[in-house]
Amino acid sequence: MLIGYARISTLDQTLALQQDALTQAGCEHIYTDTVSGSVTERPGLTQALSHLRSGDTVVVWRLDRLGRSLAHLIDTIRDLQERGVGFRSLQEQIDTTTSGGKLIFHVFGALAEFERDLIRERTHAGLAAARARGRLFGRPKVLSPQEVKQLRTLAKDDRNTVREICQTLRISRATYYRYLPEKY
């Protein structure tokens, strides 16, 4: 059974072109959404995917109607394949129920994995370069070195209570104990 899925991003657009193409392709059921592709919650797609059975084929007008990104598209199609469901894109003429369509899909998958690896390598190189220039990462320290010195001085005086010290330095009790673990 051919199950169609159509999506438009705004109410200014119309589903007619996609629905006509899906009907002409032989889709028995067509599910639709009017949401941006970046939105993760797409009720029409969820409904379409829940009605699929092994041997069915999901048909879309164009690849960008199904996936938010190449990685998301590949993950979605991989999930469909694991369930025994085929995929067809009318404009790109990709059909994973054929050996040529499977080849194209695997090439896309390899390119997406290559892209992810390049991004990861560039990110690591950028972080290493920033560290070499002295850039610090992570959450900033609550207390400066001077404030830590003041905290230790106040804590050495037994007349000061933890509460008073915290109020003076405007810190929480947890911060106090984090900076003075050896005292307790």
Side-chain angles (χ1 to χ4, degrees):
M1 176 185 298
L2 299 179
I3 306 290
Y5 175 70
R7 180 185 60 78
I8 56 174
S9 300
T10 66
L11 293 172
D12 297 340
Q13 299 171 335
T14 177
L15 287 164
L17 173 69
Q18 294 179 53
Q19 288 175 320
D20 292 347
L22 294 172
T23 301
Q24 191 173 2
C27 293
E28 296 178 34
H29 300 286
I30 298 174
Y31 297 91
T32 63
D33 278 320
T34 305
V35 293
S36 168
S38 63
V39 174
T40 55
E41 286 297 316
R42 294 188 273 173
L45 180 59
T46 302
Q47 194 175 16
L49 296 176
S50 70
H51 285 91
L52 292 171
R53 304 291 174 254
S54 181
D56 289 348
T57 301
V58 174
V59 183
V60 295
W61 182 61
R62 283 184 29 192
L63 286 172
D64 66 346
R65 301 296 87 192
L66 181 64
R68 297 187 312 271
S69 64
L70 182 57
H72 177 256
L73 180 66
I74 289 169
D75 289 342
T76 302
I77 295 173
R78 187 171 290 132
D79 289 344
L80 292 174
Q81 284 183 331
E82 288 172 1
R83 293 172 53 189
V85 174
F87 171 77
R88 276 180 55 196
S89 171
L90 301 177
Q91 291 294 304
E92 290 84 6
Q93 298 179 357
I94 296 174
D95 186 348
T96 63
T97 62
T98 67
S99 51
K102 286 179 185 174
L103 173 66
I104 298 275
F105 170 71
H106 288 295
V107 168
F108 279 165
L111 289 173
E113 186 173 340
F114 176 69
E115 179 185 20
R116 283 192 301 269
D117 288 344
L118 283 179
I119 291 169
R120 187 178 307 116
E121 287 173 10
R122 283 193 302 260
T123 301
H124 287 298
L127 290 172
R131 278 190 200 99
R133 289 190 309 272
R135 171 80 162 80
L136 298 176
F137 295 97
R139 187 173 180 167
K141 300 289 183 194
V142 175
L143 297 176
S144 68
Q146 188 177 7
E147 291 171 317
V148 172
K149 214 181 268 185
Q150 185 181 9
L151 170 65
R152 289 190 174 142
T153 303
L154 291 171
K156 282 181 186 174
D157 187 350
D158 290 332
R159 293 176 291 174
N160 296 323
T161 66
V162 173
R163 182 178 183 170
E164 291 170 342
I165 295 171
C166 290
Q167 286 176 341
T168 302
L169 295 175
R170 294 187 181 134
I171 60 173
S172 69
R173 287 175 90 72
T175 301
Y176 175 89
Y177 291 114
R178 190 176 313 115
Y179 280 92
L180 297 174
E182 67 279 351
K183 189 166 180 173
Y184 299 95

